[in-house]
């Protein structure tokens, strides 16, 4: 399952290297979480969400017919049916 860590990091003007350093995990591990090569444990997902002050669900991909929505200011509005 490919996560949206890089996308959320970009929205917050943060590099994956900076994020990895701040939450004390290896950059390679974080990259593997993002690409779906490794499924992160929930506590790591929560650490990432806490860093960005977002919900864990913002980091997750959505299925067909759904999308992540943001307002004009870039604030996440949730997952909605499209």
């Amino acid at each position: 399952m490919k996560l949206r860590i890089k996308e959320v990091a970009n929205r917050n003007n943060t590099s994956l290297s900076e994020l990895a350093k701040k939450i004390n995990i290896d950059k390679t591990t974080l990259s593997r979480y993002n690409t779906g090569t490794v499924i992160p444990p929930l506590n790591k997902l929560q650490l990432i969400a806490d860093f960005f002050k977002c919900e864990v669900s913002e980091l997750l991909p959505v299925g067909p017919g759904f999308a992540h929505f943001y307002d004009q200011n870039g604030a996440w509005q949730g997952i909605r049916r499209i």
Side-chain angles (χ1 to χ4, degrees):
M1 164 176 65
K2 184 178 179 194
L3 298 177
R4 301 179 66 246
I5 298 168
K6 188 171 185 175
E7 183 177 336
V8 173
N10 287 341
R11 286 186 169 277
N12 287 277
N13 298 314
T14 304
S15 69
L16 291 183
S17 295
E18 182 182 353
L19 172 61
K21 186 182 288 187
K22 293 285 186 176
I23 63 172
N24 199 31
I25 63 173
D26 185 71
K27 181 185 172 202
T28 303
T29 301
L30 182 61
S31 179
R32 288 178 179 155
Y33 290 169
N34 188 62
T35 61
T37 305
V38 173
I39 303 297
L42 284 176
N43 66 327
K44 297 297 184 189
L45 273 179
Q46 188 63 59
L47 270 177
I48 296 166
D50 290 346
F51 175 81
F52 290 124
K53 297 181 177 93
C54 73
E55 296 180 34
V56 170
S57 54
E58 188 174 356
L59 301 170
L60 302 176
V62 295
F66 293 88
H68 288 271
F69 280 84
Y70 295 85
D71 68 14
Q72 300 89 333
N73 299 319
W76 188 65
Q77 298 297 299
I79 298 170
R80 299 183 188 160
R81 188 177 295 260
I82 53 174

